[in-house]
Amino acid sequence: MSCCFGVNGGEVKSLSPEEAFRACSGGVCALLGDATTVPRKLQLRRGDRLDVGDKQKLWTVHDGVVALCSSLADGRRQIACLATASNLLCAPQDRDGLGLWVEALAPSWICELDISSRAQSIAEDAALGAELLRIVQDQSNCIYTHLVTLGRLDGMERVCLFLADMAWRIGEHRVDGYHVRLPLARDDIADYLGLNAETVSRIFSRVKKSRLADFRSPTEYVVRDIEALQRRSPIAAPHSPSAAVNDNLGEAV
Amino acid sequence: MSCCFGVNGGEVKSLSPEEAFRACSGGVCALLGDATTVPRKLQLRRGDRLDVGDKQKLWTVHDGVVALCSSLADGRRQIACLATASNLLCAPQDRDGLGLWVEALAPSWICELDISSRAQSIAEDAALGAELLRIVQDQSNCIYTHLVTLGRLDGMERVCLFLADMAWRIGEHRVDGYHVRLPLARDDIADYLGLNAETVSRIFSRVKKSRLADFRSPTEYVVRDIEALQRRSPIAAPHSPSAAVNDNLGEAV
DNA sequence: CGACGTGTTGAGTGGAATCAACTCGCGTGG
DNA sequence: CCACGCGAGTTGATTCCACTCAACACGTCG
């Protein structure tokens, strides 16, 4: 079996099936992978896209940031879901008028599993089905929360929620607060939050001025009081400890 | 087993277990219901709410309009998902800071199935798990599309999408076009579309003026050219024939 | 009849988008 | 070494869309 593949022109590290399978032999991959369904381990550069197509696929993010994206005919883009290290991602089915793909927003390592070929197993193996159900539900929860964010929060609330969430997810917790290296560009943040890049930048400035977060550089910020940041948004960050019941952290890998 | 229940003060028709089971013996209810898991058939009035709680529940809408709602502490409400006759509804798990409930937006008949007690069966019965997976995925698709709507469509686009969708779902197709009796109030439409009631009303007026739909009364409109209405939105209506692949119409009941 | 709920319309405001100018860091090449 | 171009981010001026608040229209029901 050949294991070389190109991803929209991106350079993708290729592994032998054995390496790939060994590389990701925990969690879902262990449960779903077998001799015929080998997880593809992919190295993605920022901007690399993976087609969703009509196959049922599953992605495990090992490093970086990967997003579930759609775009309209005129180019408007909306990011529905962000996945960082150890998160799982699964895609809804493509719909008319809605392009749908998975995109790396930063250099990333991910593991792709095409479970279409396992349809038979899923129909027969209850444990497999239950695990898949849990994964789809987790993602559905995540999208649900984000829907409310887009429908009812204003710019400041969305940005504070985002900054707090990123601090929980990828921040380094030191004595003086959470240190975060933002791996996303302003455009990407804007497309995730349903805003535009200039507005995001402006709100970042307001956040800095109000001392809710301290931007050391365009891609680095420090949050001294994450509770205060949280309180600026009426919704709890999906990955905060208090909301951790439903996330899929720690069960992926 | 007692089968009398009150729903937030609403008058709820009570049926004997036998009646209830017989009333909804097709589709999911047949698959999931058994002697111990009897579907509750409920009659709801506009405004009646069903708690989601931490149980895994499933609702089949037989008549009316039922919505999946959340609200923020300050009262802002967002409707994530609308279900009309023969649609299925399942709820994500409740999350911090996000109230979550199922609400009838019009007088409705629904069937509620608490499948928590069947957890064991789900873990063992692959067919059951696969069916549940399909249901959750369908709903996830629906929420996903709506997320993009809220994130990237302007008021006019959202309203035209909504009007076209309702025409497909509950409109009566006559020679002169689709005749629709809107079962939702302006407030509810607004909370679904992430707008406010006055804005919805204003846009309805614009739609009428531009002849995309003809409002005969506040709750009745006729769409002569539904394709033209569709084209005003960059997203296809989830329940239009062209997007029907993913809906759950016809498989419920 | 008047009260009430629901929907419509208008005036004014505010928040985010658009368009444009500018800064900054970085890599390239003269 | 510096000039230059380039991409990313910031900031300002202006516009536009949707929200807020308020008044009014309409149908229903006591």
PDB file of all heavy atoms in Angstrom, chain D residues 2 4 6-10 13 17-18 21-22 26 28:
ATOM      1  P    DC D   2      23.476  50.380   7.398  1.00  0.00           P
ATOM      2  OP1  DC D   2      23.753  51.716   7.960  1.00  0.00           O
ATOM      3  OP2  DC D   2      22.832  49.320   8.202  1.00  0.00           O
ATOM      4  O5'  DC D   2      22.626  50.583   6.067  1.00  0.00           O
ATOM      5  C5'  DC D   2      23.119  51.439   5.027  1.00  0.00           C
ATOM      6  C4'  DC D   2      22.272  51.252   3.784  1.00  0.00           C
ATOM      7  O4'  DC D   2      22.294  49.862   3.382  1.00  0.00           O
ATOM      8  C3'  DC D   2      20.788  51.622   3.949  1.00  0.00           C
ATOM      9  O3'  DC D   2      20.369  52.306   2.788  1.00  0.00           O
ATOM     10  C2'  DC D   2      20.104  50.261   4.077  1.00  0.00           C
ATOM     11  C1'  DC D   2      20.969  49.404   3.165  1.00  0.00           C
ATOM     12  N1   DC D   2      20.937  47.943   3.463  1.00  0.00           N
ATOM     13  C2   DC D   2      20.693  47.032   2.419  1.00  0.00           C
ATOM     14  O2   DC D   2      20.510  47.448   1.266  1.00  0.00           O
ATOM     15  N3   DC D   2      20.665  45.705   2.707  1.00  0.00           N
ATOM     16  C4   DC D   2      20.870  45.282   3.953  1.00  0.00           C
ATOM     17  N4   DC D   2      20.844  43.962   4.186  1.00  0.00           N
ATOM     18  C5   DC D   2      21.128  46.198   5.014  1.00  0.00           C
ATOM     19  C6   DC D   2      21.148  47.515   4.739  1.00  0.00           C
ATOM     20  P    DC D   4      14.904  52.558  -2.479  1.00  0.00           P
ATOM     21  OP1  DC D   4      14.983  53.173  -3.811  1.00  0.00           O
ATOM     22  OP2  DC D   4      14.388  53.325  -1.324  1.00  0.00           O
ATOM     23  O5'  DC D   4      14.080  51.213  -2.595  1.00  0.00           O
ATOM     24  C5'  DC D   4      14.584  50.126  -3.379  1.00  0.00           C
ATOM     25  C4'  DC D   4      13.791  48.875  -3.076  1.00  0.00           C
ATOM     26  O4'  DC D   4      14.256  48.299  -1.845  1.00  0.00           O
ATOM     27  C3'  DC D   4      12.296  49.117  -2.873  1.00  0.00           C
ATOM     28  O3'  DC D   4      11.609  48.715  -4.057  1.00  0.00           O
ATOM     29  C2'  DC D   4      11.919  48.249  -1.665  1.00  0.00           C
ATOM     30  C1'  DC D   4      13.202  47.513  -1.325  1.00  0.00           C
ATOM     31  N1   DC D   4      13.452  47.338   0.133  1.00  0.00           N
ATOM     32  C2   DC D   4      13.484  46.046   0.682  1.00  0.00           C
ATOM     33  O2   DC D   4      13.318  45.073  -0.055  1.00  0.00           O
ATOM     34  N3   DC D   4      13.716  45.903   2.026  1.00  0.00           N
ATOM     35  C4   DC D   4      13.892  46.980   2.785  1.00  0.00           C
ATOM     36  N4   DC D   4      14.115  46.794   4.091  1.00  0.00           N
ATOM     37  C5   DC D   4      13.858  48.302   2.249  1.00  0.00           C
ATOM     38  C6   DC D   4      13.630  48.436   0.921  1.00  0.00           C
ATOM     39  P    DC D   6       6.222  43.316  -4.137  1.00  0.00           P
ATOM     40  OP1  DC D   6       6.105  42.395  -5.296  1.00  0.00           O
ATOM     41  OP2  DC D   6       5.449  44.568  -4.087  1.00  0.00           O
ATOM     42  O5'  DC D   6       5.903  42.489  -2.815  1.00  0.00           O
ATOM     43  C5'  DC D   6       6.769  41.419  -2.411  1.00  0.00           C
ATOM     44  C4'  DC D   6       6.367  40.965  -1.029  1.00  0.00           C
ATOM     45  O4'  DC D   6       6.971  41.814  -0.036  1.00  0.00           O
ATOM     46  C3'  DC D   6       4.847  41.008  -0.788  1.00  0.00           C
ATOM     47  O3'  DC D   6       4.380  39.717  -0.463  1.00  0.00           O
ATOM     48  C2'  DC D   6       4.669  42.000   0.352  1.00  0.00           C
ATOM     49  C1'  DC D   6       6.052  41.981   1.020  1.00  0.00           C
ATOM     50  N1   DC D   6       6.394  43.247   1.709  1.00  0.00           N
ATOM     51  C2   DC D   6       6.869  43.207   3.028  1.00  0.00           C
ATOM     52  O2   DC D   6       6.991  42.115   3.590  1.00  0.00           O
ATOM     53  N3   DC D   6       7.184  44.368   3.651  1.00  0.00           N
ATOM     54  C4   DC D   6       7.041  45.533   3.013  1.00  0.00           C
ATOM     55  N4   DC D   6       7.369  46.638   3.670  1.00  0.00           N
ATOM     56  C5   DC D   6       6.561  45.597   1.667  1.00  0.00           C
ATOM     57  C6   DC D   6       6.251  44.439   1.053  1.00  0.00           C
ATOM     58  P    DG D   7       2.816  39.432  -0.512  1.00  0.00           P
ATOM     59  OP1  DG D   7       2.581  38.243  -1.353  1.00  0.00           O
ATOM     60  OP2  DG D   7       2.124  40.703  -0.787  1.00  0.00           O
ATOM     61  O5'  DG D   7       2.535  39.023   0.997  1.00  0.00           O
ATOM     62  C5'  DG D   7       3.427  38.149   1.672  1.00  0.00           C
ATOM     63  C4'  DG D   7       3.248  38.307   3.166  1.00  0.00           C
ATOM     64  O4'  DG D   7       3.810  39.575   3.583  1.00  0.00           O
ATOM     65  C3'  DG D   7       1.786  38.309   3.602  1.00  0.00           C
ATOM     66  O3'  DG D   7       1.653  37.432   4.712  1.00  0.00           O
ATOM     67  C2'  DG D   7       1.507  39.765   3.972  1.00  0.00           C
ATOM     68  C1'  DG D   7       2.882  40.260   4.400  1.00  0.00           C
ATOM     69  N9   DG D   7       3.103  41.688   4.198  1.00  0.00           N
ATOM     70  C8   DG D   7       2.811  42.426   3.079  1.00  0.00           C
ATOM     71  N7   DG D   7       3.140  43.692   3.187  1.00  0.00           N
ATOM     72  C5   DG D   7       3.688  43.783   4.465  1.00  0.00           C
ATOM     73  C6   DG D   7       4.226  44.896   5.151  1.00  0.00           C
ATOM     74  O6   DG D   7       4.336  46.063   4.753  1.00  0.00           O
ATOM     75  N1   DG D   7       4.673  44.546   6.420  1.00  0.00           N
ATOM     76  C2   DG D   7       4.601  43.284   6.958  1.00  0.00           C
ATOM     77  N2   DG D   7       5.081  43.139   8.184  1.00  0.00           N
ATOM     78  N3   DG D   7       4.110  42.238   6.328  1.00  0.00           N
ATOM     79  C4   DG D   7       3.669  42.548   5.088  1.00  0.00           C
ATOM     80  P    DA D   8       0.219  37.146   5.354  1.00  0.00           P
ATOM     81  OP1  DA D   8       0.198  35.733   5.753  1.00  0.00           O
ATOM     82  OP2  DA D   8      -0.832  37.713   4.497  1.00  0.00           O
ATOM     83  O5'  DA D   8       0.283  38.014   6.684  1.00  0.00           O
ATOM     84  C5'  DA D   8       1.332  37.788   7.610  1.00  0.00           C
ATOM     85  C4'  DA D   8       1.222  38.777   8.736  1.00  0.00           C
ATOM     86  O4'  DA D   8       1.619  40.072   8.251  1.00  0.00           O
ATOM     87  C3'  DA D   8      -0.196  38.921   9.279  1.00  0.00           C
ATOM     88  O3'  DA D   8      -0.165  38.712  10.678  1.00  0.00           O
ATOM     89  C2'  DA D   8      -0.606  40.344   8.920  1.00  0.00           C
ATOM     90  C1'  DA D   8       0.732  41.049   8.744  1.00  0.00           C
ATOM     91  N9   DA D   8       0.694  42.123   7.757  1.00  0.00           N
ATOM     92  C8   DA D   8       0.199  42.068   6.484  1.00  0.00           C
ATOM     93  N7   DA D   8       0.307  43.189   5.821  1.00  0.00           N
ATOM     94  C5   DA D   8       0.909  44.041   6.724  1.00  0.00           C
ATOM     95  C6   DA D   8       1.310  45.390   6.627  1.00  0.00           C
ATOM     96  N6   DA D   8       1.125  46.133   5.540  1.00  0.00           N
ATOM     97  N1   DA D   8       1.886  45.949   7.711  1.00  0.00           N
ATOM     98  C2   DA D   8       2.061  45.199   8.809  1.00  0.00           C
ATOM     99  N3   DA D   8       1.737  43.917   9.016  1.00  0.00           N
ATOM    100  C4   DA D   8       1.166  43.402   7.918  1.00  0.00           C
ATOM    101  P    DG D   9      -1.506  38.788  11.551  1.00  0.00           P
ATOM    102  OP1  DG D   9      -1.310  37.895  12.698  1.00  0.00           O
ATOM    103  OP2  DG D   9      -2.652  38.631  10.645  1.00  0.00           O
ATOM    104  O5'  DG D   9      -1.496  40.292  12.083  1.00  0.00           O
ATOM    105  C5'  DG D   9      -0.391  40.723  12.854  1.00  0.00           C
ATOM    106  C4'  DG D   9      -0.493  42.201  13.087  1.00  0.00           C
ATOM    107  O4'  DG D   9      -0.383  42.897  11.836  1.00  0.00           O
ATOM    108  C3'  DG D   9      -1.811  42.671  13.705  1.00  0.00           C
ATOM    109  O3'  DG D   9      -1.500  43.290  14.950  1.00  0.00           O
ATOM    110  C2'  DG D   9      -2.380  43.674  12.709  1.00  0.00           C
ATOM    111  C1'  DG D   9      -1.158  44.063  11.904  1.00  0.00           C
ATOM    112  N9   DG D   9      -1.441  44.497  10.541  1.00  0.00           N
ATOM    113  C8   DG D   9      -1.979  43.745   9.523  1.00  0.00           C
ATOM    114  N7   DG D   9      -2.103  44.416   8.410  1.00  0.00           N
ATOM    115  C5   DG D   9      -1.624  45.673   8.705  1.00  0.00           C
ATOM    116  C6   DG D   9      -1.508  46.829   7.892  1.00  0.00           C
ATOM    117  O6   DG D   9      -1.820  46.967   6.713  1.00  0.00           O
ATOM    118  N1   DG D   9      -0.971  47.909   8.593  1.00  0.00           N
ATOM    119  C2   DG D   9      -0.581  47.869   9.905  1.00  0.00           C
ATOM    120  N2   DG D   9      -0.087  48.994  10.426  1.00  0.00           N
ATOM    121  N3   DG D   9      -0.677  46.798  10.678  1.00  0.00           N
ATOM    122  C4   DG D   9      -1.207  45.752  10.009  1.00  0.00           C
ATOM    123  P    DT D  10      -2.649  43.839  15.914  1.00  0.00           P
ATOM    124  OP1  DT D  10      -2.144  43.719  17.292  1.00  0.00           O
ATOM    125  OP2  DT D  10      -3.928  43.231  15.526  1.00  0.00           O
ATOM    126  O5'  DT D  10      -2.696  45.398  15.554  1.00  0.00           O
ATOM    127  C5'  DT D  10      -1.544  46.185  15.782  1.00  0.00           C
ATOM    128  C4'  DT D  10      -1.778  47.601  15.295  1.00  0.00           C
ATOM    129  O4'  DT D  10      -2.006  47.592  13.870  1.00  0.00           O
ATOM    130  C3'  DT D  10      -2.989  48.302  15.909  1.00  0.00           C
ATOM    131  O3'  DT D  10      -2.499  49.441  16.594  1.00  0.00           O
ATOM    132  C2'  DT D  10      -3.870  48.675  14.712  1.00  0.00           C
ATOM    133  C1'  DT D  10      -2.908  48.623  13.546  1.00  0.00           C
ATOM    134  N1   DT D  10      -3.477  48.271  12.217  1.00  0.00           N
ATOM    135  C2   DT D  10      -3.436  49.184  11.211  1.00  0.00           C
ATOM    136  O2   DT D  10      -2.975  50.301  11.347  1.00  0.00           O
ATOM    137  N3   DT D  10      -3.962  48.763  10.008  1.00  0.00           N
ATOM    138  C4   DT D  10      -4.505  47.517   9.735  1.00  0.00           C
ATOM    139  O4   DT D  10      -4.950  47.244   8.622  1.00  0.00           O
ATOM    140  C5   DT D  10      -4.522  46.592  10.835  1.00  0.00           C
ATOM    141  C7   DT D  10      -5.096  45.226  10.639  1.00  0.00           C
ATOM    142  C6   DT D  10      -4.017  46.997  12.006  1.00  0.00           C
ATOM    143  P    DA D  13      -9.694  60.337  12.205  1.00  0.00           P
ATOM    144  OP1  DA D  13      -9.218  61.724  12.110  1.00  0.00           O
ATOM    145  OP2  DA D  13     -10.481  59.882  13.375  1.00  0.00           O
ATOM    146  O5'  DA D  13     -10.527  59.991  10.887  1.00  0.00           O
ATOM    147  C5'  DA D  13      -9.892  60.057   9.609  1.00  0.00           C
ATOM    148  C4'  DA D  13     -10.925  59.868   8.505  1.00  0.00           C
ATOM    149  O4'  DA D  13     -11.203  58.460   8.356  1.00  0.00           O
ATOM    150  C3'  DA D  13     -12.280  60.535   8.773  1.00  0.00           C
ATOM    151  O3'  DA D  13     -12.783  61.040   7.538  1.00  0.00           O
ATOM    152  C2'  DA D  13     -13.131  59.405   9.331  1.00  0.00           C
ATOM    153  C1'  DA D  13     -12.572  58.191   8.581  1.00  0.00           C
ATOM    154  N9   DA D  13     -12.635  56.936   9.336  1.00  0.00           N
ATOM    155  C8   DA D  13     -12.425  56.754  10.672  1.00  0.00           C
ATOM    156  N7   DA D  13     -12.526  55.499  11.064  1.00  0.00           N
ATOM    157  C5   DA D  13     -12.830  54.815   9.908  1.00  0.00           C
ATOM    158  C6   DA D  13     -13.060  53.452   9.641  1.00  0.00           C
ATOM    159  N6   DA D  13     -13.016  52.504  10.571  1.00  0.00           N
ATOM    160  N1   DA D  13     -13.337  53.102   8.366  1.00  0.00           N
ATOM    161  C2   DA D  13     -13.374  54.063   7.432  1.00  0.00           C
ATOM    162  N3   DA D  13     -13.167  55.371   7.548  1.00  0.00           N
ATOM    163  C4   DA D  13     -12.900  55.681   8.833  1.00  0.00           C
ATOM    164  P    DC D  17     -26.739  48.620   4.231  1.00  0.00           P
ATOM    165  OP1  DC D  17     -26.410  48.040   2.923  1.00  0.00           O
ATOM    166  OP2  DC D  17     -27.821  49.621   4.368  1.00  0.00           O
ATOM    167  O5'  DC D  17     -27.035  47.428   5.237  1.00  0.00           O
ATOM    168  C5'  DC D  17     -25.952  46.681   5.773  1.00  0.00           C
ATOM    169  C4'  DC D  17     -26.179  46.472   7.259  1.00  0.00           C
ATOM    170  O4'  DC D  17     -25.940  47.698   7.977  1.00  0.00           O
ATOM    171  C3'  DC D  17     -27.591  46.031   7.608  1.00  0.00           C
ATOM    172  O3'  DC D  17     -27.492  44.783   8.265  1.00  0.00           O
ATOM    173  C2'  DC D  17     -28.142  47.139   8.508  1.00  0.00           C
ATOM    174  C1'  DC D  17     -26.879  47.812   9.028  1.00  0.00           C
ATOM    175  N1   DC D  17     -26.990  49.263   9.333  1.00  0.00           N
ATOM    176  C2   DC D  17     -26.555  49.738  10.585  1.00  0.00           C
ATOM    177  O2   DC D  17     -26.107  48.942  11.407  1.00  0.00           O
ATOM    178  N3   DC D  17     -26.627  51.071  10.830  1.00  0.00           N
ATOM    179  C4   DC D  17     -27.104  51.904   9.910  1.00  0.00           C
ATOM    180  N4   DC D  17     -27.152  53.200  10.208  1.00  0.00           N
ATOM    181  C5   DC D  17     -27.551  51.428   8.634  1.00  0.00           C
ATOM    182  C6   DC D  17     -27.484  50.118   8.396  1.00  0.00           C
ATOM    183  P    DA D  18     -28.791  43.855   8.494  1.00  0.00           P
ATOM    184  OP1  DA D  18     -28.379  42.469   8.255  1.00  0.00           O
ATOM    185  OP2  DA D  18     -29.922  44.453   7.767  1.00  0.00           O
ATOM    186  O5'  DA D  18     -29.070  44.030  10.054  1.00  0.00           O
ATOM    187  C5'  DA D  18     -28.043  43.708  10.958  1.00  0.00           C
ATOM    188  C4'  DA D  18     -28.295  44.372  12.289  1.00  0.00           C
ATOM    189  O4'  DA D  18     -28.229  45.805  12.141  1.00  0.00           O
ATOM    190  C3'  DA D  18     -29.657  44.062  12.914  1.00  0.00           C
ATOM    191  O3'  DA D  18     -29.426  43.619  14.231  1.00  0.00           O
ATOM    192  C2'  DA D  18     -30.392  45.401  12.869  1.00  0.00           C
ATOM    193  C1'  DA D  18     -29.233  46.385  12.937  1.00  0.00           C
ATOM    194  N9   DA D  18     -29.527  47.716  12.398  1.00  0.00           N
ATOM    195  C8   DA D  18     -30.108  48.012  11.205  1.00  0.00           C
ATOM    196  N7   DA D  18     -30.234  49.304  10.985  1.00  0.00           N
ATOM    197  C5   DA D  18     -29.704  49.898  12.124  1.00  0.00           C
ATOM    198  C6   DA D  18     -29.546  51.232  12.510  1.00  0.00           C
ATOM    199  N6   DA D  18     -29.936  52.265  11.766  1.00  0.00           N
ATOM    200  N1   DA D  18     -28.973  51.473  13.703  1.00  0.00           N
ATOM    201  C2   DA D  18     -28.590  50.426  14.458  1.00  0.00           C
ATOM    202  N3   DA D  18     -28.685  49.122  14.196  1.00  0.00           N
ATOM    203  C4   DA D  18     -29.261  48.920  13.005  1.00  0.00           C
ATOM    204  P    DC D  21     -33.598  50.527  25.273  1.00  0.00           P
ATOM    205  OP1  DC D  21     -32.821  50.973  26.438  1.00  0.00           O
ATOM    206  OP2  DC D  21     -34.322  49.250  25.290  1.00  0.00           O
ATOM    207  O5'  DC D  21     -34.643  51.679  24.902  1.00  0.00           O
ATOM    208  C5'  DC D  21     -34.155  52.919  24.412  1.00  0.00           C
ATOM    209  C4'  DC D  21     -35.287  53.728  23.795  1.00  0.00           C
ATOM    210  O4'  DC D  21     -35.522  53.274  22.441  1.00  0.00           O
ATOM    211  C3'  DC D  21     -36.633  53.619  24.521  1.00  0.00           C
ATOM    212  O3'  DC D  21     -37.111  54.927  24.765  1.00  0.00           O
ATOM    213  C2'  DC D  21     -37.515  52.851  23.558  1.00  0.00           C
ATOM    214  C1'  DC D  21     -36.913  53.255  22.205  1.00  0.00           C
ATOM    215  N1   DC D  21     -37.194  52.314  21.093  1.00  0.00           N
ATOM    216  C2   DC D  21     -37.470  52.825  19.823  1.00  0.00           C
ATOM    217  O2   DC D  21     -37.480  54.047  19.665  1.00  0.00           O
ATOM    218  N3   DC D  21     -37.726  51.968  18.813  1.00  0.00           N
ATOM    219  C4   DC D  21     -37.695  50.649  19.036  1.00  0.00           C
ATOM    220  N4   DC D  21     -37.952  49.835  18.004  1.00  0.00           N
ATOM    221  C5   DC D  21     -37.409  50.103  20.323  1.00  0.00           C
ATOM    222  C6   DC D  21     -37.163  50.964  21.314  1.00  0.00           C
ATOM    223  P    DA D  22     -38.452  55.159  25.643  1.00  0.00           P
ATOM    224  OP1  DA D  22     -38.173  56.314  26.523  1.00  0.00           O
ATOM    225  OP2  DA D  22     -38.891  53.867  26.223  1.00  0.00           O
ATOM    226  O5'  DA D  22     -39.503  55.607  24.550  1.00  0.00           O
ATOM    227  C5'  DA D  22     -39.132  56.541  23.545  1.00  0.00           C
ATOM    228  C4'  DA D  22     -40.187  56.585  22.466  1.00  0.00           C
ATOM    229  O4'  DA D  22     -39.990  55.480  21.554  1.00  0.00           O
ATOM    230  C3'  DA D  22     -41.622  56.466  22.983  1.00  0.00           C
ATOM    231  O3'  DA D  22     -42.378  57.583  22.540  1.00  0.00           O
ATOM    232  C2'  DA D  22     -42.133  55.171  22.382  1.00  0.00           C
ATOM    233  C1'  DA D  22     -41.250  55.018  21.145  1.00  0.00           C
ATOM    234  N9   DA D  22     -41.099  53.644  20.698  1.00  0.00           N
ATOM    235  C8   DA D  22     -40.715  52.557  21.438  1.00  0.00           C
ATOM    236  N7   DA D  22     -40.678  51.430  20.764  1.00  0.00           N
ATOM    237  C5   DA D  22     -41.067  51.809  19.491  1.00  0.00           C
ATOM    238  C6   DA D  22     -41.227  51.084  18.293  1.00  0.00           C
ATOM    239  N6   DA D  22     -41.012  49.775  18.196  1.00  0.00           N
ATOM    240  N1   DA D  22     -41.625  51.772  17.199  1.00  0.00           N
ATOM    241  C2   DA D  22     -41.840  53.081  17.297  1.00  0.00           C
ATOM    242  N3   DA D  22     -41.713  53.878  18.360  1.00  0.00           N
ATOM    243  C4   DA D  22     -41.323  53.159  19.428  1.00  0.00           C
ATOM    244  P    DC D  26     -55.141  49.904  10.834  1.00  0.00           P
ATOM    245  OP1  DC D  26     -55.025  49.833   9.374  1.00  0.00           O
ATOM    246  OP2  DC D  26     -56.116  50.812  11.487  1.00  0.00           O
ATOM    247  O5'  DC D  26     -55.392  48.441  11.405  1.00  0.00           O
ATOM    248  C5'  DC D  26     -54.380  47.435  11.259  1.00  0.00           C
ATOM    249  C4'  DC D  26     -54.677  46.296  12.204  1.00  0.00           C
ATOM    250  O4'  DC D  26     -54.178  46.617  13.513  1.00  0.00           O
ATOM    251  C3'  DC D  26     -56.174  46.008  12.364  1.00  0.00           C
ATOM    252  O3'  DC D  26     -56.456  44.746  11.787  1.00  0.00           O
ATOM    253  C2'  DC D  26     -56.397  46.029  13.884  1.00  0.00           C
ATOM    254  C1'  DC D  26     -54.983  45.917  14.434  1.00  0.00           C
ATOM    255  N1   DC D  26     -54.754  46.545  15.766  1.00  0.00           N
ATOM    256  C2   DC D  26     -54.250  45.764  16.815  1.00  0.00           C
ATOM    257  O2   DC D  26     -54.002  44.573  16.605  1.00  0.00           O
ATOM    258  N3   DC D  26     -54.045  46.344  18.026  1.00  0.00           N
ATOM    259  C4   DC D  26     -54.320  47.633  18.201  1.00  0.00           C
ATOM    260  N4   DC D  26     -54.092  48.154  19.407  1.00  0.00           N
ATOM    261  C5   DC D  26     -54.838  48.445  17.154  1.00  0.00           C
ATOM    262  C6   DC D  26     -55.047  47.869  15.962  1.00  0.00           C
ATOM    263  P    DT D  28     -59.745  38.547  14.980  1.00  0.00           P
ATOM    264  OP1  DT D  28     -59.650  37.203  14.390  1.00  0.00           O
ATOM    265  OP2  DT D  28     -60.924  39.411  14.718  1.00  0.00           O
ATOM    266  O5'  DT D  28     -59.574  38.416  16.560  1.00  0.00           O
ATOM    267  C5'  DT D  28     -58.299  38.055  17.097  1.00  0.00           C
ATOM    268  C4'  DT D  28     -58.393  37.876  18.597  1.00  0.00           C
ATOM    269  O4'  DT D  28     -58.217  39.154  19.262  1.00  0.00           O
ATOM    270  C3'  DT D  28     -59.728  37.320  19.078  1.00  0.00           C
ATOM    271  O3'  DT D  28     -59.482  36.317  20.055  1.00  0.00           O
ATOM    272  C2'  DT D  28     -60.443  38.526  19.659  1.00  0.00           C
ATOM    273  C1'  DT D  28     -59.287  39.383  20.153  1.00  0.00           C
ATOM    274  N1   DT D  28     -59.527  40.846  20.150  1.00  0.00           N
ATOM    275  C2   DT D  28     -59.138  41.581  21.241  1.00  0.00           C
ATOM    276  O2   DT D  28     -58.600  41.097  22.219  1.00  0.00           O
ATOM    277  N3   DT D  28     -59.389  42.933  21.136  1.00  0.00           N
ATOM    278  C4   DT D  28     -59.989  43.600  20.077  1.00  0.00           C
ATOM    279  O4   DT D  28     -60.152  44.801  20.111  1.00  0.00           O
ATOM    280  C5   DT D  28     -60.369  42.769  18.968  1.00  0.00           C
ATOM    281  C7   DT D  28     -61.019  43.374  17.771  1.00  0.00           C
ATOM    282  C6   DT D  28     -60.129  41.444  19.060  1.00  0.00           C
TER     283       DT D  28
END
